Amino acid sequence: MTSIKVKFRPSAIEGREGSIYYQVIHKRAVRQIGTGFRVFDAEWDDDTSSVRITPEAVGYRKQYLYSIAECIRWDIRRLRIIIARYEMLGATYSVGNIIEKFGRQADGHTLFNFMRGLIGRLRQLGKVRTSETYTAALTSFMKFRGGRDILLFDIDGYTAMLYEAWLRANGNCPNTISFYMRILRAVYNRAVENKLTEQKFPFKHVYTGIDKTVKRAIPLSAIRRIKELDLTRKPHLGYARDMFLFSFYTRGMSFVDMAYLKKSDLKDGILTYRRRKTGQQLAVRWEECMDEIIAKYGSNPTPHLLPIITNPSADERTQYLNAICRINMALKKVARMAGLGIPLTMHCARHCWASVAKSKNIPLSVISEGMGHDSEETTRIYLASLDTSVVDRANSLILRDLCLPGR
């Protein structure tokens, strides 16, 4: 039988704070774990072995005492889980094993702390985009939990289903729900690998698939309307329109690749760049329409080709993120001005190029190569629901023949 107690040691100096510690007893062996928490005698209740919130505690002090009480609750829960797992495995263990495991897991046994650690390591490895998606998932789950952390051991199927229901209630589409669930599942599996919790497959009954997306492509005639818009009096809309067109002109180049293009990437009429997502190198023949956009915005004082990252002293990633946000907002206004029935984003330009290429009967392999996809399967996903008008026309012909008299 193993016992855990929360103890308070008053200060030897009158009027000073005493210290809180945990006492672990196993097979008559007694060990203590210091917590670093310090409270005054009046702030400790010996009868309940817990922090007492005194009437005098206000503001910061009251918040401090509440946080200590919460940390103690987490620590005792974690110690009990460690002991329960030793018992479940039927392994022989000592009080020293308990203390050692408790100390080793102190920073990573809760989901929030564990995810923060993973995000930090991803940034160190230069995986900025992945760290941003993990941060987005963590922020979402923290909102769901109301800021209350959760032990990795406490994550189960019920927790996952409650989170899924919360996401749906807050207007998230199936693909967004799947996005967050797949990230949390990856984090949970990493925790299992690190032996911080046991595998309970908590995400087995929530949605982690890929839903068919709404059509994002627009026909060439719509792109022509966008190009012909007179936006001289609305330069911010003109800038967004030009960035959209540049992406389309360059075979649906991703905006992140556009942002990091260098002047040195353009040589002898060929624009050569390496995709930041896959590392694949692509070469695009330089056309007059591309040159018109570059000439329109003059010389960028930075080494970059386009006026997206323009401040040499500011963080490049922040400039890129701010730019994509502003441009996508402006493109929605451009879409309305052009009479489009769908919201326009920079990513639509990529879909548009694929759709137009398909309508020109360009082989799938060529479209895939042009877009810098790792495989033709990725290109098929792009093309799967881009334009059903051809199928609709075929169906009309069939039905017309069916309804003709005498047939």
Side-chain angles (χ1 to χ4, degrees):
M1 181 69 179
T2 305
S3 69
I4 307 164
K5 296 179 181 179
V6 185
K7 297 279 190 174
F8 175 69
R9 184 182 294 113
S11 173
I13 303 172
E14 189 176 350
R16 292 281 184 90
E17 295 170 308
S19 58
I20 299 172
Y21 64 96
Y22 306 137
Q23 184 186 75
V24 183
I25 305 173
H26 178 68
K27 292 184 177 179
R28 298 183 181 179
V30 182
R31 289 282 296 273
Q32 295 179 1
I33 305 174
T35 66
F37 304 140
R38 304 185 70 82
V39 296
F40 293 107
D41 292 10
E43 296 170 335
W44 182 256
D45 189 329
D46 275 325
D47 293 334
T48 60
S49 296
S50 62
V51 173
R52 178 190 291 131
I53 311 297
T54 63
E56 295 79 14
V58 294
Y60 169 76
R61 188 66 188 180
K62 188 174 183 179
Q63 196 174 35
Y64 170 71
L65 292 174
Y66 273 122
S67 68
I68 288 177
E70 182 70 6
C71 287
I72 290 172
R73 187 179 73 82
W74 281 108
D75 285 346
I76 297 304
R77 169 78 170 138
R78 193 150 54 88
L79 281 166
R80 286 174 178 156
I81 287 172
I82 290 169
I83 293 165
R85 291 176 72 185
Y86 274 127
E87 294 289 343
M88 184 174 62
L89 294 171
T92 302
Y93 64 97
S94 67
V95 68
N97 295 138
I98 298 169
I99 305 301
E100 181 187 3
K101 196 169 186 64
F102 178 81
R104 191 168 64 244
Q105 296 179 350
D107 294 330
H109 209 70
T110 66
L111 178 67
F112 294 2
N113 282 337
F114 185 64
M115 281 194 77
R116 288 186 186 112
L118 286 178
I119 290 165
R121 286 191 285 277
L122 285 167
R123 286 175 180 158
Q124 288 176 345
L125 293 169
K127 297 181 178 181
V128 180
R129 177 58 183 155
T130 306
S131 74
E132 289 171 351
T133 60
Y134 273 49
T135 301
L138 174 58
T139 302
S140 171
F141 195 78
M142 287 176 74
K143 287 179 182 176
F144 158 67
R145 292 280 302 171
R148 292 175 291 106
D149 207 342
I150 183 170
L151 288 168
L152 290 164
F153 192 83
D154 282 343
I155 297 174
D156 55 18
Y158 183 63
T159 305
M161 286 188 287
L162 280 178
Y163 179 45
E164 181 182 45
W166 180 84
L167 287 170
R168 290 188 191 281
N170 281 273
N172 291 277
C173 69
N175 280 344
T176 301
I177 294 171
S178 176
F179 169 78
Y180 289 137
M181 289 298 181
R182 282 182 283 121
I183 289 175
L184 289 174
R185 183 177 61 186
V187 170
Y188 181 83
N189 289 340
R190 182 73 64 87
V192 172
E193 289 174 9
N194 292 349
K195 302 188 185 309
L196 296 176
T197 187
E198 64 182 25
Q199 181 59 271
K200 292 184 286 187
F201 302 102
F203 301 94
K204 183 178 180 181
H205 299 294
V206 295
Y207 183 66
T208 55
I210 304 295
D211 206 38
K212 193 172 185 179
T213 56
V214 177
K215 175 181 169 181
R216 294 183 181 181
I218 56 176
L220 203 55
S221 58
I223 296 173
R224 199 173 287 117
R225 289 204 305 276
I226 291 170
K227 183 181 178 182
E228 292 171 355
L229 284 173
D230 183 4
L231 301 174
T232 51
R233 293 187 179 182
K234 301 180 186 294
H236 69 293
L237 299 185
Y239 168 73
R241 184 264 311 274
D242 291 341
M243 294 303 102
F244 178 87
L245 290 175
F246 188 89
S247 173
F248 182 78
Y249 294 160
T250 52
R251 307 191 313 230
M253 186 185 295
S254 295
F255 186 72
V256 66
D257 294 328
M258 286 172 53
Y260 287 92
L261 283 177
K262 299 290 182 65
K263 295 170 185 173
S264 56
D265 293 334
L266 178 58
K267 290 181 182 177
D268 302 323
I270 301 293
L271 180 64
T272 306
Y273 71 99
R274 193 173 293 279
R275 288 203 67 200
R276 296 182 74 83
K277 184 176 181 178
T278 64
Q280 182 180 355
Q281 184 170 296
L282 300 175
V284 180
R285 186 170 67 187
W286 194 250
E287 303 286 356
E288 184 179 346
C289 54
M290 304 171 195
D291 209 45
E292 288 173 358
I293 291 176
I294 300 299
K296 184 175 179 178
Y297 293 95
S299 179
N300 186 350
T302 72
H304 297 286
L305 182 65
L306 290 165
I308 300 169
I309 297 172
T310 56
N311 188 347
S313 59
D315 180 69
E316 291 185 347
R317 181 75 181 174
T318 302
Q319 291 183 71
Y320 150 70
L321 291 172
N322 289 339
I324 188 66
C325 183
R326 288 195 306 269
I327 289 172
N328 280 338
M329 288 178 65
L331 284 175
K332 288 174 174 58
K333 296 179 181 178
V334 171
R336 287 195 294 270
M337 293 174 71
L340 304 185
I342 64 169
L344 201 62
T345 66
M346 282 299 302
H347 196 61
C348 288
R350 193 160 172 78
H351 282 262
C352 289
W353 189 86
S355 179
V356 172
K358 179 187 177 186
S359 70
K360 301 291 183 184
N361 295 318
I362 295 172
L364 180 67
S365 59
V366 176
I367 298 174
S368 182
E369 178 69 22
M371 299 183 75
H373 284 156
D374 282 336
S375 69
E376 291 183 14
E377 188 59 37
T378 305
T379 312
R380 286 191 183 93
I381 294 171
Y382 266 82
L383 297 173
S385 60
L386 289 180
D387 189 358
T388 59
S389 60
V390 174
V391 180
D392 290 338
R393 284 197 296 271
N395 189 46
S396 294
L397 289 171
I398 293 167
L399 295 179
R400 189 178 64 183
D401 284 349
L402 177 66
C403 296
L404 282 175
R407 296 234 177 162

